[in-house]
Amino acid sequence: MATAVVAGLTTLVGALIFRGVLNIPVFADATAGDFGGVGTSLHALTAATAALTATGLLHLLLVSAPRALRFFNWIVWLATAVATVSPFSLSNPPLVQFATAMVNLVTGVAIVTLLMGVGVSAREWSYPRRWETDGDDDAESALDNGWLQPPPAPPEREHHSEGHDGVAGAQHRSREG
């Protein structure tokens, strides 16, 4: 929910900067004022909806995909690229197209960075590990059900004493014992 608020506010700040400071009429005509009226509100609402959708996607991937954050990163960066390039397909003046693309890019970056931080935190705290618990029944039942796997044991190293002579062989043998 907080990401949606940040996305909507990012759009409003972008509109205020481009309309109020730089006099570039993004999201509405030039007579609409510093915030741009309904067009700006719809754009902010669309950004908030995109952030909520991305949050749901992150949750879905975290519970179902093996490399959830990698998939999420690709999907949301590609969606940000679409939102950034799409204003250039409209019939607005080039300066308005560029300003709209910049607002969309900054909003997308805000969504990605905030949700990637949430995803990393969720991944770290998602399930207890059996080898780090003090005999908690929930962790043991999770391991029994196949939800958790302990880390693999390191592979055994083979030691060959042939070919060692003198000091090097003695040092090798002393490390083994």
Side-chain angles (χ1 to χ4, degrees), residues 49-107:
T49 303
L52 287 174
T53 303
T55 304
L57 173 67
L58 176 62
H59 177 73
L60 179 67
L61 289 172
L62 282 173
V63 298
S64 66
R67 298 202 180 240
L69 295 179
R70 182 173 292 173
F71 283 117
F72 177 77
N73 212 6
W74 270 99
I75 292 168
V76 179
W77 277 120
L78 288 171
T80 300
V82 168
T84 302
V85 173
S86 65
F88 297 105
S89 67
L90 302 174
S91 62
N92 292 328
L95 201 55
V96 172
Q97 292 173 341
F98 178 76
T100 305
M102 289 301 100
V103 170
N104 291 349
L105 176 63
V106 171
T107 302

Side-chain angles (χ1 to χ4, degrees), residues 4 7-12 27 38-50 107:
L9 288 175
T10 302
T11 301
L12 291 176
F27 310 135
V38 175
T40 305
S41 299
L42 288 175
H43 206 84
L45 184 62
T46 301
T49 303
T107 302

Side-chain angles (χ1 to χ4, degrees), residues 10-21 24 26-27 34-36 40 103:
T10 302
T11 301
L12 291 176
V13 168
L16 185 60
I17 289 171
F18 285 112
R19 292 184 68 81
V21 177
I24 300 172
V26 292
F27 310 135
D34 287 347
F35 280 106
T40 305
V103 170

